[in-house]
Amino acid sequence: MVFGPDSPYPTIDIGEAWRRVAATLVPLAPAVCALDDALGLVLAEDIVATENMPPFASSAMDGYAVVAEDLAPEKRVIGEQDAGPLQGLRVVPGTAARIMTGGALPEGAGAVIPVENTAEEGGVVRLLSSVAPGQYVRPVGQDIAVGDVVLEAGSTIGPAEIGLLATMGRTQVPVHPRPTVAVMATGDELVPADRTPGPGQIRDGNSWALAAAIRAVGCTPIRLGLVEDDARALREALLRAVAQADMVLTSGGVSMGARDLIKPLLEELGEVHFGRVAKKPDKPLTYATVKGVPVFGLPGFPVSSMVSFENYVRPALRLMGGHRKLFRPQAVVRLAHDVRHAPDRTEFQRAIVERRDGQYWATTTGVQVSGRLRSLVGANALLRLPRGRGDSDQGEEVAAILIDQPESR
Ligand code: AMP
Ligand code: MG
């Protein structure tokens, strides 16, 4: 390993980096999943109704089922139909059947008159308002008719979709599966979070934060634990990781230190698509594919790894999950104070954006160094500060990525 000022990797811009990531990815092959596990996943096929809903004409109100065209104001009550087993009632002119919401309309009935508009006494009901054909009747197939494409391939399964699928008896659903993501934290200085660090050691926070971010995007993390800065240990761990996951994240070891072994390892085992990006934090962000598995080499500094997760890993996981909307919304916001930033790369500063007087105002979350994870706590936006000037003034407009909002584009 050479230790020196030069990196062999050209610095590419942030958009080019995403294009190179996206070019290597496709949605995971469709699989069947239990409806219970489907929340947040993307449907891989159109769902076509094979049954009508409602399957039978039913009442939308508690009241009386009558022949719609029968104008007689008083009718003999022949029985009662609850929501449930059919009572075999048959309504003819001059008769009515008590009916409850959701009850099947008796034979012969064409309308329901709500109980509020009736008076029943001695087995005879008097109608206090007129009746229009079809009123308060939910006809067969009103919600869903046989042959309807009820849900389209590519749509995200939310609570309403879950309800519809259950209604149609689809308790096994064709989806793009939830990607599994292996996380390995590398660094000789690391100890597990439940240990007390010795001299020169720190606790591993990154694999926890990354696992949580993986869960937050609806994927399944596999925490592989800590790996020392040793070429052979790293090679073994990485090979194990790519064998069991749809994507691998490494943390640490991608800068230019003598013990930064990730980049050469990725070169040895696979193809490195980039090793430097003109952004701050996280210039040494590395992306490779190893045996067809995407591998992000994230730097060790906690903010760097989380910001790169947000900007690259998260959209990559959404793409693999079959989502069509990959990116969070952006807004134009006004700076509440002067901001100094890197002149030579796009800088993502953590900020709180609030609406005041019909304007979005951004306040950064204090010191923005990449080791200070607290700069992400409570942040709802990443200010996207352009290359060029290196400072922006209070009141100036800049772009902000709204990281507390669902993807919209
Ligand atoms: P590296 O990218 O390996 O040069 O790591 C840069 C710095 O990030 C290290 O000096 C640590 O302070 C910090 N760091 C590395 N790995 C972790 C981790 N897993 N959790 C928290 N901080 C880390
Ligand atoms: Mg390191």
Side-chain angles (χ1 to χ4, degrees), residues 7 37 39 82 93 98 142 149 163 167-168 178 180 197 225 234 242-243 246 267 280 286-287 331 338 347 358 363 409:
S7 161
D37 297 328
L39 183 66
D82 292 322
R98 250 181 253 119
Q142 182 180 54
V149 176
T167 299
M168 292 185 289
R178 224 176 267 291
T180 57
L234 288 168
V242 297
D246 299 310
E267 291 282 5
K280 184 181 176 180
T286 300
Y287 180 69
D338 293 352
E347 181 164 346
T363 309
R409 53 201 177 98

Side-chain angles (χ1 to χ4, degrees), residues 259 309 384 387:
R259 310 214 50 87
F309 188 98
R384 187 180 156 161
R387 309 153 83 148

Side-chain angles (χ1 to χ4, degrees), residues 67-349:
V67 175
E69 297 76 16
D70 171 19
L71 298 176
E74 295 199 339
K75 303 175 200 290
R76 186 168 55 82
V77 178
I78 58 166
E80 183 168 312
Q81 175 65 59
D82 292 322
L86 300 189
Q87 299 303 317
L89 300 177
R90 184 177 145 75
V91 177
V92 297
T95 69
R98 250 181 253 119
I99 192 162
M100 304 304 143
T101 305
L105 216 63
E107 210 188 316
V112 171
I113 180 148
V115 68
E116 306 83 289
N117 301 339
T118 64
E120 183 183 335
E121 207 186 322
V124 172
V125 62
R126 195 149 45 81
L127 310 191
L128 306 178
S129 66
S130 61
V131 180
Q135 79 172 27
Y136 300 119
V137 173
R138 300 182 64 218
V140 173
Q142 182 180 54
D143 302 348
I144 300 169
V146 171
D148 283 353
V149 176
V150 179
L151 297 169
E152 284 180 22
S155 49
T156 302
I157 302 174
E161 287 78 8
I162 296 266
L164 275 173
L165 288 160
T167 299
M168 292 185 289
R170 303 291 298 256
T171 53
Q172 300 287 318
V173 237
V175 294
H176 295 286
R178 224 176 267 291
T180 57
V181 187
V183 180
M184 44 190 268
T186 75
D188 285 343
E189 75 277 35
L190 301 176
V191 297
D194 58 0
R195 299 273 176 76
T196 303
Q201 296 184 317
I202 58 166
R203 293 194 185 90
D204 157 44
N206 287 358
S207 62
W208 294 77
L210 291 168
I214 289 162
R215 267 203 198 93
V217 64
C219 301
T220 307
I222 307 171
R223 276 221 325 266
L224 293 180
L226 308 182
V227 188
E228 62 207 279
D229 292 318
D230 169 80
R232 187 191 290 170
L234 288 168
R235 183 184 299 107
E236 277 173 18
L238 190 67
L239 287 172
R240 242 182 301 124
V242 297
Q244 62 176 297
D246 299 310
M247 180 190 280
V248 176
L249 306 182
T250 64
S251 138
V254 287
S255 339
M256 297 203 289
R259 310 214 50 87
D260 287 332
L261 303 172
I262 296 290
K263 282 177 160 108
L265 178 62
L266 292 171
E267 291 282 5
E268 177 198 328
L269 298 178
E271 187 186 347
V272 174
H273 303 283
F274 58 82
R276 276 207 298 183
V277 185
K279 73 197 225 43
K280 184 181 176 180
D282 200 8
K283 188 171 175 186
L285 173 65
T286 300
Y287 180 69
T289 41
V290 175
K291 299 179 191 296
V293 175
V295 181
F296 282 94
L298 304 171
F301 281 117
V303 175
S304 306
S305 61
M306 293 309 283
V307 169
S308 276
F309 188 98
E310 177 59 40
N311 289 347
Y312 293 99
V313 181
R314 189 175 158 103
L317 288 173
R318 285 183 62 86
L319 191 161
M320 292 171 80
H323 290 275
R324 291 172 187 179
K325 293 177 178 169
L326 305 183
F327 301 105
R328 310 260 204 195
Q330 290 195 20
V332 175
V333 302
R334 238 174 238 293
L335 296 174
H337 53 86
D338 293 352
V339 172
R340 304 283 149 246
H341 50 98
D344 58 332
R345 0 175 210 166
T346 308
E347 181 164 346
F348 295 94
Q349 291 201 7

